[in-house]
Amino acid sequence: MDKKIWLIILSLLIIPLLAGGYLFFSKNSTTILNVAGEGKAKAAPELASFTITYAGNGTSASNALSDEKVVNQQIINLLGSQYGVTQSDIQVSFPNVGVNASSSGGINYQAANNLSVNFRKISSLDEAISKLYQTNKLSISNLIFSTDNARNLEDEAIKGAVKDGEIRAEKIAQSTGKKLGKLLSVTAQQTQAVGSISVEATKTQQTTGTTSTTFSPGQIEITRTVNLVYELK
């Protein structure tokens, strides 16, 4: 058959299949359909991780370091006694000592440090953050919510992706006047490591006489994609 005629036939087959799949022909003239499916899964967060930045001050480096230790212990005591945060949930960095000129013309030493915290009482997170801000001059950053149930969440997303691919394949087969045959292969895209699924916290402000900051975790959502290869009959 003339080469131009073959190109016209292939174009007519490919145009209706752009929404998720395409056809190609193997050497034994079997028609093959390759289609992508997408699945999503959601879960409530079980862990909040964040960084606390704080500092101690003094008229000498040793005084600033001593003050830093006091602030450090106040933060740890608050998180431990009221919210069950254990020592294993906290990582402490080494303090960084700097010198600042005071308004009176003297020298002020500052020992700055960071605490990395894993916080599991999600329902009490807003209260804990408010108390931390009230207790000391500090800042909180890198607030991320995650789940311990990452494997089940991923499995659910993959199942949804396979189902989505099956539905797309059926529609594509019908549009070409064919029927789905045997499923030849299923390939899932490489996923991130279990336990690293996370979503950045959203921050909103509410005004009710006084201004407060609310951190809302919502839900964690992951998306997985699979490729399905079918015979068409």
Side-chain angles (χ1 to χ4, degrees), residues 54-188:
Y54 63 96
N57 296 281
T59 55
S60 66
S62 60
N63 287 342
L65 287 169
S66 296
D67 190 41
E68 182 272 332
K69 289 182 180 179
V70 172
V71 176
N72 173 283
Q73 201 57 51
Q74 288 175 342
I75 294 171
I76 292 175
N77 288 343
L78 172 63
L79 292 174
S81 63
Q82 298 189 32
Y83 304 103
V85 178
T86 64
Q87 195 64 45
S88 62
D89 293 321
I90 299 175
Q91 290 185 344
V92 185
S93 302
F94 291 101
N96 182 24
V97 179
V99 179
N100 298 315
S102 66
S103 57
S104 60
I107 295 177
N108 179 60
Y109 289 83
Q110 185 178 74
N113 207 345
N114 295 318
L115 286 176
S116 297
V117 180
N118 289 329
F119 192 94
R120 295 186 179 277
K121 290 187 176 181
I122 301 296
S123 60
S124 301
L125 180 62
D126 289 346
E127 177 187 289
I129 289 177
S130 295
K131 286 188 177 181
L132 284 168
Y133 276 122
Q134 292 168 10
T135 304
N136 295 285
K137 291 183 178 180
L138 49 78
S139 64
I140 296 174
S141 59
N142 302 325
L143 178 57
I144 297 175
F145 295 99
S146 59
T147 176
D148 294 329
N149 199 24
R151 174 62 69 186
N152 290 342
L153 195 64
E154 185 173 6
D155 290 345
E156 182 182 343
I158 291 175
K159 288 179 181 178
V162 172
K163 185 64 177 177
D164 179 57
E166 290 175 352
I167 293 172
R168 291 186 183 187
E170 287 281 2
K171 290 180 179 179
I172 292 170
Q174 290 175 7
S175 71
T176 60
K178 293 181 177 291
K179 294 183 179 180
L180 278 185
K182 183 169 59 175
L183 177 62
L184 301 177
S185 68
V186 179
T187 305

Side-chain angles (χ1 to χ4, degrees), residues 9-10 17 31 45-46 55 57 155 159 174 177 190 195 210 213 216 231:
I9 293 173
L10 287 174
L17 305 175
T31 306
E46 299 159 328
N57 296 281
D155 290 345
K159 288 179 181 178
Q174 290 175 7
Q190 186 176 0
T210 59
T213 301
S216 176
E231 285 184 351

Side-chain angles (χ1 to χ4, degrees), residues 20-39:
Y22 58 89
L23 291 171
F24 64 91
F25 297 93
S26 65
K27 292 182 180 179
N28 61 3
S29 298
T30 301
T31 306
I32 304 297
L33 172 64
N34 186 324
V35 64
E38 182 180 272

